[in-house]
Amino acid sequence: MASSLPTAQIKLSYPIYGADFDPKNSSFLLVGGGGGEGRSGVANKITLLNTSRKQELSEIVDIELSSDEDSVTSLAYAQSTEQWATAFAGINSSGQEQHAGKNEHLRSFLLEYPPRRRPGTSEPASEKSLAAGYKGQTQALGKASLFKPSQAVNKETFQRVLRLSKKTKGSSKRLGAVATGLAPEGEIVLFAADTSRPGPDDVRGRIQLGEKQEAADVDVISLDGVQSQPEGKFRVAYCTDYEIYASDVSYDYNHDADNLKIQKIHSTPDTDTSTKSTARPKFRCIRFLTPQVLIALQNQPDGNGSELLVLEINGMITLRKKLHKKIKSSTALAVSHLDAKLPSDIDQYAIAVAGADTSITILTLDRFTSSPKGNIKFKPHSFHPNVHPTSITALTFSTYTQPETAWKDTPLQYLKLASTSIANTVVVQTLPLTPLPASPTPETTARYILTAPKSSTITSNTFSALVALLAIGIAAFFLQAFTEIRGVTPEYLGAKGWLNDNLHDWIARPYMFEDAIPHATAAAKTQLYQASEAVMTPFGTETPIDSAIEEFQASLASAQTELESSLHAASEAAKTPFSEASAAAGDRLTDATDAVKTPVASAGAGLRSLLRDRNIGSDTSDNAHHDIIVHHSETEGGESSLSAELRDASEVVKGGHEEARRWEELKEEEKGVWRRKLREAGEWVEEEGEAVLQGVLFGGLGSLVGGIVGGG
């Protein structure tokens, strides 16, 4: 059995059929059952259990019952104090006495509680002392027969249902109800329950159900506080398989069946005769929420599920709730009113349903009193499968009373739910309650309600981590598939085979370089041709650079071929990551560009263009090791010519050139000649100043300059 709630379990020595919490102390749980009459080795007992610990149940005291009589079939607390309690139980007399027309089916017992304080002190007793070594006294107080004697040959009638009204403030009067089971003619008997020994004189009314009719369930509620109702008035409701009835009863008068006004408030309609099955849904349990509102548990025919109905006393159904689809039918219902002593917007009821599959469903019914019509709705709390090994026989909540202390002085609040089974097991689940409002001020008297439990931090974090890992795994899978299709990585998934031929031809291409290199080549060609048209000699003579372009294209083609070969080899070997292959390809392309850049730059350009490039910083990268050299020469016609070019600083210029010197190394006479030559060529004006000529080499001006040698 797994549960998200604190859960305690104990296995007794007998099957259990009835259970009830002490209405004043939820640390005490009374259970009863047994093997019945004449079953050797399985005793009939009533056991008081200690439920003060969330994870442990312990036995305090047993009431040994006669093995010559039937087992306990129903059980309820009658009265309780700190020292003792009385309880009523449904126990049939022996078969011999029943055949003689005597069946004292209603029994009462007295149980002494363990001391709540340590002997001789005012300190509370420990939880262990409630059970350890304590042998409290128990006593059978009385037995009574309230049902009318049966005239049938088969007299195996037993007390199927026992229900007591809850105590109300300002009144000690309580009304009880018992109903027959397996009787030839069903009967409900109402009796005064504020006595420890109920008998025939305490009967307050009888309801005859008719031949072969039985009450599936009964409930009683006090009408004290209801407008225009006198003290001592009660309302009883019961259900048969297909109908729900209600009647008002006075505590002070003995009514016979004819004087009670029985009102049918709801009936399950007959099925359509055109359908194959004529079975109708059957009522299993019924409880009062208020004197005007009831909740009923109904099982669908053929094991098709269970449903909760909320209906008013006039029979109008106001709300329905289908239970979990795994529940084919249900066996028990428990309701607890989390009453509010202070005004609140929520009037809440805790509801538990036991399924035939040994599951327990917990939910709440919230009534919003601030709404003009008092809107109500169900809210799920938790679902607990396989709570017991076999069928659940009883289900009961502890009585909860709202604390009157300030919130800061109030300990954690809980509601307990007990369930029993014919497999001898008792399970108590502890339901934590939540303050309302959620964060009250320390001095506030908070009201507590039942809210759905939240997942633990560990569970939440684990779930989040699993979701994150799943998302990463899915993303990695699709990324691997995409890179395989694009031909970037070796095939591990065989993703290319997932595509049809047309889609494969459209998508399965190299990821980057197959398209990028031709585009880059075309762009480079365009730029070079534009440069070819724009580059001219200083005196207007165009210098062709077609040979440089052809060399550059050849270099790019060679680099592309070598790049594709390298990428293919890397892809086949699956050793080099794609990013590294891309970087290597970039390096090769840069090398190819560098191989052709110097000839292009030195093919001839105007001094002004070279000075401009130097000023904007282009000569600090590729041309960092070259100097600007301006050379003067004379043509065959006697005309002078100036040319500017980049030369390596260490290169010795051959061909009869004279020595070149930097501008700052020239004599003033030489500078004057060069200023005139530069102005005539349109390469310099005086407004620019001589600072722009600093560092430029000048050579070839007759006897003023020796052979040209590049300076660094």
Side-chain angles (χ1 to χ4, degrees):
M1 177 194 66
S3 174
S4 59
L5 300 174
T7 302
Q9 179 175 341
I10 191 172
K11 187 170 185 178
L12 303 179
S13 60
Y14 57 91
I16 305 161
Y17 300 103
D20 196 21
F21 277 102
D22 184 332
K24 295 182 179 180
N25 188 347
S26 62
S27 294
F28 294 125
L29 174 67
L30 205 59
V31 298
E37 181 181 357
R39 290 195 181 183
S40 176
V42 182
N44 299 320
K45 289 184 179 182
I46 295 175
T47 303
L48 180 63
L49 297 177
N50 173 19
T51 66
S52 57
R53 294 186 176 183
K54 298 178 185 178
Q55 307 290 346
E56 179 184 352
L57 299 179
S58 57
E59 297 181 52
I60 298 177
V61 64
D62 281 338
I63 301 178
E64 298 281 350
L65 304 175
S66 172
S67 60
D68 295 330
E69 295 183 324
D70 204 355
S71 62
V72 177
T73 57
S74 53
L75 187 65
Y77 265 96
Q79 302 176 48
S80 68
T81 68
E82 287 191 358
Q83 292 79 32
W84 53 268
T86 57
F88 297 153
I91 303 174
N92 275 357
S93 298
S94 65
Q96 183 178 357
E97 290 182 342
Q98 290 186 57
H99 285 292
K102 181 182 179 181
N103 183 11
E104 295 174 313
H105 55 85
L106 182 60
R107 313 293 178 93
S108 58
F109 299 90
L110 173 68
L111 302 92
E112 283 190 2
Y113 279 167
R116 302 298 296 173
R117 302 189 182 278
R118 295 178 181 177
T121 69
S122 60
E123 297 180 7
S126 65
E127 294 176 351
K128 288 186 177 181
S129 69
L130 294 178
Y134 172 73
K135 298 297 181 182
Q137 293 187 6
T138 62
Q139 180 182 353
L141 296 178
K143 56 179 69 176
S145 178
L146 303 185
F147 297 136
K148 285 185 177 180
S150 174
Q151 304 301 320
V153 176
N154 187 355
K155 297 181 174 58
E156 294 182 354
T157 300
F158 71 99
Q159 183 179 302
R160 179 178 184 177
V161 180
L162 169 63
R163 197 80 62 216
L164 306 181
S165 66
K166 297 184 183 300
K167 283 189 175 182
T168 59
K169 268 190 173 183
S171 177
S172 61
K173 296 178 180 179
R174 298 181 70 190
L175 192 70
V178 291
T180 58
L182 299 179
E185 293 184 0
E187 183 182 17
I188 298 174
V189 179
L190 307 173
F191 65 95
D194 51 2
T195 176
S196 59
R197 296 178 176 86
D201 294 339
D202 297 307
V203 173
R204 295 294 184 263
R206 297 179 184 272
I207 301 174
Q208 302 298 327
L209 303 179
E211 186 176 355
K212 296 183 179 179
Q213 292 291 319
E214 290 187 350
D217 200 9
V218 182
D219 199 19
V220 184
I221 192 171
S222 173
L223 297 181
D224 287 350
V226 178
Q227 188 175 7
S228 73
Q229 293 292 342
E231 184 181 356
K233 291 284 285 186
F234 294 86
R235 181 165 290 166
V236 59
Y238 65 93
C239 63
T240 61
D241 286 345
Y242 307 113
E243 290 87 20
I244 298 177
Y245 298 88
S247 177
D248 290 349
V249 181
S250 175
Y251 178 89
D252 298 322
Y253 299 97
N254 187 345
H255 298 264
D256 57 29
D258 296 332
N259 292 333
L260 285 178
K261 294 181 180 180
I262 309 298
Q263 177 187 2
K264 181 193 291 187
I265 62 176
H266 183 78
S267 178
T268 304
D270 293 330
T271 57
D272 191 347
T273 55
S274 62
T275 60
K276 294 182 180 180
S277 176
T278 59
R280 292 188 288 169
K282 291 184 178 181
F283 290 110
R284 182 65 182 85
C285 302
I286 190 171
R287 293 290 185 276
F288 276 109
L289 299 179
T290 70
Q292 288 78 31
V293 182
L294 298 119
I295 185 170
L297 175 62
Q298 190 177 54
N299 290 323
Q300 300 298 316
D302 304 322
N304 289 325
S306 299
E307 187 176 26
L308 289 171
L309 308 178
V310 178
L311 63 160
E312 297 180 2
I313 200 67
N314 60 10
M316 183 177 68
I317 297 176
T318 58
L319 193 63
R320 293 176 179 266
K321 173 66 176 179
K322 288 188 176 181
L323 300 181
H324 199 285
K325 61 182 180 180
K326 292 183 179 180
I327 301 175
K328 304 303 180 183
S329 63
S330 300
T331 60
L333 171 69
V335 176
S336 177
H337 184 203
L338 302 181
D339 61 323
K341 296 181 179 180
L342 298 175
S344 173
D345 287 341
I346 300 178
D347 192 23
Q348 189 182 73
Y349 297 85
I351 299 170
V353 179
D357 59 350
T358 72
S359 68
I360 292 180
T361 303
I362 303 175
L363 59 161
T364 62
L365 181 64
D366 295 348
R367 178 175 178 268
F368 297 91
T369 56
S370 59
S371 171
K373 297 183 179 180
N375 290 338
I376 59 175
K377 66 177 181 179
F378 285 104
K379 288 186 177 180
H381 179 274
S382 54
F383 177 74
H384 307 272
N386 307 319
V387 179
H388 290 271
T390 55
S391 300
I392 296 175
T393 54
L395 195 65
T396 183
F397 278 113
S398 61
T399 300
Y400 180 73
T401 303
Q402 296 286 349
E404 297 180 349
T405 56
W407 179 70
K408 66 175 183 178
D409 300 324
T410 303
L412 296 178
Q413 299 293 294
Y414 300 96
L415 181 69
K416 295 179 181 179
L417 175 64
S419 56
T420 63
S421 78
I422 59 175
N424 307 357
T425 54
V426 181
V427 174
V428 175
Q429 296 168 299
T430 302
L431 287 64
L433 300 178
T434 303
L436 186 71
S439 299
T441 59
E443 302 300 332
T444 302
T445 302
R447 185 259 175 115
Y448 288 81
I449 61 173
L450 182 63
T451 56
K454 296 181 180 179
S455 301
S456 66
T457 303
I458 296 177
T459 302
S460 178
N461 292 343
T462 302
F463 178 76
S464 299
L466 291 177
V467 171
L469 290 175
L470 180 61
I472 293 172
I474 293 175
F477 173 82
F478 282 108
L479 180 61
Q480 175 66 24
F482 177 75
T483 54
E484 286 187 17
I485 292 172
R486 296 292 292 177
V488 175
T489 59
E491 292 193 42
Y492 296 106
L493 302 177
K496 289 184 179 180
W498 303 345
L499 308 174
N500 59 42
D501 294 339
N502 293 333
L503 191 59
H504 179 277
D505 294 340
W506 179 58
I507 295 179
R509 295 177 297 172
Y511 182 66
M512 180 182 298
F513 296 103
E514 185 176 88
D515 292 332
I517 289 178
H519 294 167
T521 304
K525 290 178 180 179
T526 302
Q527 292 178 359
L528 287 173
Y529 276 113
Q530 293 174 351
S532 173
E533 294 176 359
V535 175
M536 301 180 67
T537 62
F539 296 104
T541 304
E542 183 177 356
T543 303
I545 58 171
D546 289 342
S547 60
I549 294 174
E550 291 176 358
E551 292 178 6
F552 180 67
Q553 292 174 351
S555 299
L556 285 179
S558 176
Q560 179 178 353
T561 302
E562 186 177 354
L563 169 65
E564 292 175 349
S565 176
S566 299
L567 284 178
H568 178 73
S571 175
E572 291 296 326
K575 294 179 179 179
T576 304
F578 178 72
S579 59
E580 296 179 13
S582 300
D587 293 339
R588 292 175 181 275
L589 187 59
T590 301
D591 294 341
T593 305
D594 290 340
V596 299
K597 182 177 290 184
T598 299
V600 173
S602 61
L607 173 61
R608 188 181 297 279
S609 175
L610 295 176
L611 289 174
R612 182 179 64 251
D613 292 342
R614 185 184 69 174
N615 291 338
I616 64 175
S618 64
D619 61 332
T620 62
S621 55
D622 297 328
N623 300 324
H625 301 292
H626 297 80
D627 288 316
I628 301 175
I629 301 178
V630 180
H631 180 70
H632 173 268
S633 61
E634 292 185 358
T635 62
E636 294 180 357
E639 297 179 353
S640 62
S641 172
L642 284 183
S643 63
E645 59 184 359
L646 290 177
R647 291 284 183 161
D648 188 271
S650 61
E651 180 182 356
V652 178
V653 182
K654 299 180 180 180
H657 297 299
E658 299 176 14
E659 179 183 4
R661 289 181 296 170
R662 300 188 184 278
W663 177 261
E664 57 268 26
E665 296 174 352
L666 296 178
K667 297 180 179 180
E668 190 59 30
E669 297 83 12
E670 294 172 327
K671 290 182 179 180
V673 175
W674 279 112
R675 283 194 292 267
R676 180 172 57 82
K677 293 292 185 182
L678 292 174
R679 283 196 301 270
E680 292 174 353
E683 295 293 344
W684 179 81
V685 293
E686 291 183 356
E687 287 77 9
E688 292 177 324
E690 295 182 8
V692 298
L693 302 177
Q694 296 292 326
V696 178
L697 293 169
F698 293 83
L701 205 64
S703 60
L704 297 179
V705 183
I708 300 176
V709 179

